[in-house]
Amino acid sequence: MKTINIEELVKDGAVHGDIYNEEEIFQLEMTRIFEKTWVFVAHESEIANPGDYKTTVIGEHPLIVTRDSDTEEIFVLFNRCRHRAATVCQQETGNANFFRCAYHGWTYSNNGDLTGMPFQDGYDEHFDRCKMGLIKVPRVGIYQGFIFASLSEEGPSLEEHLGHARPYIDYIVGTGPDGIALNAGAHKYSFDGNWKLQIENTIDPYHLSVTHRSFFNILSKKTGKKINFNRMHKSEKIRDLGNGHSLYELGGDLGIGALPFNLIVFPNLGFLGSQVRVTRPISVNKTHVFLYPIMLKGVSVEENAERLRKHEGFYGPAGFGTVDDLEVGFDRVAEGLKAKGPDGEWLEISRGMNREEVDEQGIITATSSDEVSARALYKEWKRLMTAGSIS
Amino acid sequence: MNTVMVERKEIEDFLIHEAFLINEEKFSEWLDLFTEDGIYWIPSNKDHIDPNTHVSIIYDDRERLEERVWRLESGLAYGQEPKSRTRHLITNVKILESDDQKVVVSSNFILVELRRSIQTIWSGRFEHQLRSQGGTWKIASKKVELINNNEFIGNLSFIV
């Protein structure tokens, strides 16, 4: 087995193909990124009522996000019975006051407390029931209704982590007269490739006029207006917001949704079109993706329905855009990555490095065909992947 | 009630013909089977949803269905490059409602899709609403209840 040296896999304007292919790197990503930083687990609207819950994961850890039946406090709990480790909750979403493990019957309230188990005579006074509740993740933070959790006791606060991404999340929440809700189900799709391909693709306007030419042909036939991508890329901006987050500011309506920007919140959350996108790494070459349409509260059913129709037109397992990304951006890349000629194992992300501008807040900006977003992603990726390396 | 017995065989033949057009990639002819207000619908997450409040995998009105077919025939739909080869098996055909103008028919299907050397089995229930128009049946609505509509599915750019 070859030795992995993370430092050498990301250089100025290029990343090495191993970051998409090597099992060892995937495992390091789980521990050094997903177990260290803040990860989105749910939006409050998904668990709107007392007793509501949702199951999810951080990295490979199964979790339950609950809303306490009495206090309505939100908890993020490991979905693992303290007795013999079986998951205690099987549903994606639901409402329950208690989770009862179906193996030996240990029962927990939805705040995680152990409330009982059958045949208690086998445990004496040394058995401290108070310490045997479902384990809570070390940190939970909520920003504008978006619930994040961190498996690390230490590190920046959620607000610090979100940093310059916060005003854009504020904007998204403000698009509905009474806020927003993720209550319209989800598109769920899968591909046989590395999770970072989907993150990169979330802000990559450079590929729009190529991969999605058929979509834009259809759009211009419908609107009578042809999109001038050359001009578009000269005027639109992409920004590296720091902490791995990045932003693409659309110059006009691309027919794919309501937001005037695409936002990536490191490591695996995206806001674009009319959706919240969650990318879930499954293995080094398997990825699951959720697209949650953002519904506006306080508008008519028709207006939200129109958002859904527009979203479905481009996104999802049968949307005109997503399917072409699945083929070209993921399947073909995964295939091409297997070609490993001498010096031929690098992927270029250098576009526009020569025309970046940095403002007084440290935000790096270049135009929309430039690979600012990928560079932002891999700068933070490298920082976390090399932090705390075992010496 | 103005109930007219519609022969199950006649409707079954229609469904078989529709599948034949899809499997033989005669997409324009397939499109012609739909009424001008026809809907092609694949719900997401569960079988029974309100498409106005819950996202669908596909909710094509006639305009978008025409765009879908145009894309398939444009040579620019990378999601279908390479193409999917498909074969439908249609069974358990049951007429749910019928009169001389309208039929609602339920059927089960197995769809074998071959793409990128991977053979995938898709299955579910179709519910077609057919309308009599100029002496022939037209599809006013085709709903596809995929049994895996809540799973992480792959590229669904072919016609189901």
Side-chain angles (χ1 to χ4, degrees):
Chain A
M1 204 168 102
K2 61 178 162 185
T3 330
I4 303 283
N5 185 341
I6 304 288
E7 288 282 354
E8 288 172 6
L9 297 175
V10 178
K11 58 185 187 189
D12 273 356
V15 292
H16 194 276
D18 280 355
I19 67 166
Y20 307 97
N21 276 338
E22 292 295 326
E23 178 60 34
E24 196 181 335
I25 290 180
F26 181 83
Q27 290 306 331
L28 283 176
E29 288 175 337
M30 294 302 103
T31 54
R32 293 186 184 172
I33 296 175
F34 284 85
E35 293 178 11
K36 285 285 183 293
T37 188
W38 288 96
V39 179
F40 170 76
V41 291
H43 185 262
E44 281 185 340
S45 60
E46 295 179 89
I47 47 167
N49 301 305
D52 280 357
Y53 66 82
K54 172 196 175 181
T55 52
T56 185
V57 302
I58 290 182
E60 294 175 313
H61 302 272
L63 304 171
I64 321 170
V65 186
T66 69
R67 189 183 284 273
D68 189 291
S69 306
D70 302 317
T71 66
E72 299 202 25
E73 194 184 337
I74 286 168
F75 292 94
V76 183
L77 311 163
F78 284 95
N79 190 1
R80 170 186 170 131
C81 183
R82 292 300 302 283
H83 175 222
R84 300 279 283 275
T87 52
V88 298
C89 179
Q90 313 308 312
Q91 307 299 319
E92 274 187 308
T93 57
N95 185 285
N97 293 329
F98 297 98
F99 300 110
R100 183 173 186 269
C101 178
Y103 199 1
H104 303 89
W106 286 36
T107 302
Y108 305 88
S109 75
N110 61 7
N111 64 13
D113 292 347
L114 176 64
T115 57
M117 70 281 269
F119 321 126
Q120 302 189 14
D121 57 307
Y123 297 103
D124 63 16
E125 69 279 6
H126 299 297
F127 182 85
D128 188 354
R129 192 188 282 190
C130 295
K131 289 184 179 153
M132 293 303 278
L134 296 175
I135 305 233
K136 296 175 175 67
V137 302
R139 291 189 296 164
V140 177
I142 302 175
Y143 187 77
Q144 290 277 30
F146 292 90
I147 307 164
F148 293 77
S150 173
L151 300 186
S152 171
E153 301 274 0
E154 290 155 11
S157 68
L158 175 61
E159 299 234 329
E160 286 166 339
H161 169 71
L162 294 175
H164 295 305
R166 280 179 295 170
Y168 300 98
I169 297 174
D170 298 345
Y171 175 91
I172 293 161
V173 172
T175 52
D178 303 324
I180 59 164
L182 306 187
N183 59 2
H187 277 152
K188 294 162 74 171
Y189 60 86
S190 162
F191 61 90
D192 293 335
N194 190 267
W195 66 280
K196 297 186 293 301
L197 296 174
Q198 177 70 88
I199 308 297
E200 293 171 20
N201 173 270
T202 296
I203 298 187
D204 183 335
Y206 192 21
H207 82 293
L208 293 179
S209 61
V210 186
T211 309
H212 303 305
R213 192 171 136 205
S214 70
F215 178 83
F216 292 109
N217 284 353
I218 289 169
L219 185 70
S220 58
K221 235 183 283 178
K222 206 162 20 191
T223 60
K225 280 185 285 187
K226 212 171 158 65
I227 295 174
N228 183 331
F229 283 95
N230 195 29
R231 196 167 19 170
M232 182 180 118
H233 290 319
K234 285 197 170 85
S235 62
E236 291 179 338
K237 303 292 181 208
I238 298 188
R239 303 187 198 281
D240 170 350
L241 300 176
N243 298 347
H245 318 317
S246 57
L247 183 84
Y248 160 45
E249 294 173 355
L250 280 71
D253 186 3
L254 291 175
I256 56 178
L259 287 177
F261 54 77
N262 293 13
L263 173 68
I264 293 172
V265 173
F266 186 90
N268 67 334
L269 178 64
F271 300 87
L272 67 162
S274 302
Q275 79 197 255
V276 171
R277 173 183 290 180
V278 177
T279 301
R280 186 180 281 187
I282 301 299
S283 68
V284 69
N285 56 10
K286 183 111 195 145
T287 303
H288 288 172
V289 184
F290 294 86
L291 312 180
Y292 299 95
I294 300 169
M295 294 289 94
L296 305 185
K297 286 160 84 174
V299 305
S300 66
V301 170
E302 291 74 22
E303 188 176 337
N304 275 327
E306 204 177 306
R307 287 169 75 88
L308 290 172
R309 296 297 88 81
K310 192 173 255 196
H311 169 80
E312 292 151 1
F314 192 81
Y315 294 106
F320 297 166
T322 298
V323 295
D324 292 350
D325 283 329
L326 286 170
E327 168 63 25
V328 179
F330 310 152
D331 286 350
R332 293 188 190 179
V333 172
E335 199 169 53
L337 280 169
K338 292 175 187 158
K340 299 176 179 179
D343 298 326
E345 296 191 52
W346 291 86
L347 292 87
E348 269 289 309
I349 55 166
S350 67
R351 192 179 160 79
M353 274 175 81
N354 55 339
R355 52 186 175 194
E356 288 181 343
E357 288 172 10
V358 187
D359 71 9
E360 66 283 355
Q361 292 181 295
I363 294 175
I364 301 168
T365 300
T367 64
S368 75
S369 64
D370 294 342
E371 286 155 336
V372 177
S373 175
R375 291 194 288 276
L377 168 67
Y378 288 110
K379 191 164 55 183
E380 181 69 357
W381 185 90
K382 184 177 182 177
R383 188 185 75 79
L384 287 172
M385 289 289 278
T386 52
S389 345
I390 301 137
S391 49
Chain B
M1 203 170 127
N2 182 19
T3 305
V4 177
M5 287 301 288
V6 176
E7 285 290 327
R8 184 177 63 84
K9 186 173 182 315
E10 178 190 347
I11 302 303
E12 190 169 353
D13 284 347
F14 179 90
L15 298 178
I16 289 170
H17 176 64
E18 188 214 346
F20 169 81
L21 294 179
I22 296 169
N23 299 155
E24 295 298 319
E25 299 170 30
K26 296 175 188 297
F27 299 125
S28 296
E29 287 178 57
W30 175 71
L31 183 64
D32 288 341
L33 294 180
F34 282 78
T35 61
E36 283 304 309
D37 59 352
I39 296 285
Y40 171 49
W41 182 25
I42 307 182
S44 187
N45 309 121
K46 48 193 175 182
D47 296 340
H48 305 293
I49 61 164
D50 175 353
N52 289 322
T53 57
H54 191 108
V55 70
S56 296
I57 295 171
I58 292 176
Y59 193 83
D60 285 0
D61 60 7
R62 175 77 193 207
E63 185 185 11
R64 187 167 289 163
L65 195 54
E66 285 176 9
E67 292 165 1
R68 189 174 295 280
V69 167
W70 176 85
R71 238 176 69 82
L72 290 175
E73 293 177 339
S74 70
L76 296 171
Y78 293 113
Q80 277 296 298
E81 186 188 302
K83 281 182 187 172
S84 297
R85 292 196 67 195
T86 63
R87 284 295 159 194
H88 284 79
L89 307 183
I90 293 175
T91 176
N92 303 50
V93 177
K94 189 178 179 192
I95 309 266
L96 302 179
E97 284 173 47
S98 70
D99 60 35
D100 56 352
Q101 291 302 309
K102 202 184 87 180
V103 170
V104 180
V105 56
S106 171
S107 59
N108 291 354
F109 67 91
I110 290 177
L111 167 56
V112 181
E113 181 218 5
L114 175 71
R115 187 171 181 277
R116 282 187 157 274
S117 304
I118 297 167
Q119 206 158 277
T120 307
I121 294 176
W122 303 81
S123 184
R125 190 182 78 91
F126 288 139
E127 188 169 303
H128 286 73
Q129 297 194 20
L130 306 181
R131 203 184 292 156
S132 174
Q133 213 169 280
T136 59
W137 293 108
K138 292 277 184 185
I139 302 170
S141 163
K142 175 180 179 176
K143 183 186 180 196
V144 183
E145 297 174 0
L146 287 174
I147 59 174
N148 58 347
N149 57 22
N150 195 38
E151 299 300 316
F152 295 89
I153 59 178
N155 179 338
L156 198 68
S157 56
F158 56 92
I159 303 289
V160 181

